[in-house]
Amino acid sequence: MSHELGIIEVVVNCKKNPLIGVAKVVCVILAVLLLLGGLSLMGILGLWALVPIVLGVAAVIGAYLANLNSNVDYEYSLVDRELRVAKILNKEKRKAVGQYDLDKLEILAPMNSHRLDSYRNRQGLKEMDFSTRDSEKAATTYYCYLEGSQKLILDISGSDGEKMLGAIRIFAPRKVFAD
């Protein structure tokens, strides 16, 4: 039985990590100090002045990476029984992080559901967290267990999230729960 559902997309805005902001500021300060120090000591230290310059360049790269990861969102796309997850960095760069075959779905339920009790103590799971990591949104956090020891943590909310749950429920009615 085949259903034409099209593509359903859900974008999840993740909670910002304050430590990344601190790391970004520290890297910028270090970069400025090391680069200025290395350049001012060039005449005195000669080639040894390259050490702080190289460290300053490394700090610039660290600041860039911290800035890139300071604002992370996830996009879930349901396409032909496949859940595709992309990571959106700073609302600019998109990076595909996974494709999951929902024909291998064992269960999809809210994280506090009693239906997950038999799954909670499984060992050796490969856990992929694509949620907001916001404890206030725990009601919309779902655990998705797939054959092959994979566990996905997703935040499914809003009308698009309801559409996605409904679409998955069409081809896996006994495996999708919203209780």
Side-chain angles (χ1 to χ4, degrees):
M1 175 163 96
S2 174
H3 294 283
E4 292 295 324
L5 297 171
I7 298 173
I8 300 172
E9 295 180 337
V10 176
V11 176
V12 177
N13 300 316
C14 294
K15 186 176 181 180
K16 292 183 180 181
N17 186 346
L19 293 178
I20 291 180
V22 171
K24 183 171 49 172
V25 170
V26 168
C27 285
V28 167
I29 292 170
L30 275 174
V32 169
L33 292 175
L34 288 168
L35 290 172
L36 289 177
L39 291 173
S40 64
L41 294 174
M42 187 72 92
I44 299 170
L45 297 177
L47 287 178
W48 285 104
L50 289 178
V51 172
I53 291 173
V54 169
L55 291 174
V57 170
V60 168
I61 293 170
Y64 171 76
L65 292 174
N67 183 52
L68 197 58
N69 288 302
S70 65
N71 191 0
V72 176
D73 298 330
Y74 289 106
E75 179 184 66
Y76 316 140
S77 301
L78 182 63
V79 182
D80 296 329
R81 295 184 180 218
E82 183 176 77
L83 180 66
R84 298 176 185 172
V85 181
K87 189 178 199 180
I88 303 170
L89 303 171
N90 266 353
K91 308 223 185 274
E92 298 173 357
K93 294 188 176 198
R94 173 180 309 252
K95 178 182 177 187
V97 292
Q99 294 183 355
Y100 305 95
D101 183 6
L102 294 180
D103 285 331
K104 296 181 179 182
L105 178 69
E106 290 184 24
I107 189 169
L108 174 64
M111 69 182 243
N112 296 324
S113 175
H114 70 280
R115 298 174 192 276
L116 296 172
D117 290 345
S118 62
Y119 292 88
R120 294 197 196 281
N121 295 324
R122 281 190 171 181
Q123 300 295 319
L125 285 175
K126 181 179 178 184
E127 186 175 293
M128 304 297 290
D129 190 351
F130 305 121
S131 68
T132 63
R133 296 174 190 87
D134 187 355
S135 59
E136 294 175 13
K137 293 188 176 183
T140 62
T141 302
Y142 281 74
Y143 287 171
C144 177
Y145 288 88
L146 302 171
E147 294 173 11
S149 300
Q150 288 185 319
K151 175 185 175 185
L152 308 179
I153 303 173
L154 309 167
D155 275 331
I156 303 175
S157 63
S159 62
D160 290 335
E162 292 299 321
K163 285 181 193 174
M164 183 174 282
L165 283 176
I168 297 170
R169 193 175 290 121
I170 287 173
F171 61 83
R174 292 187 178 102
K175 298 178 181 180
V176 179
F177 302 97
D179 55 15

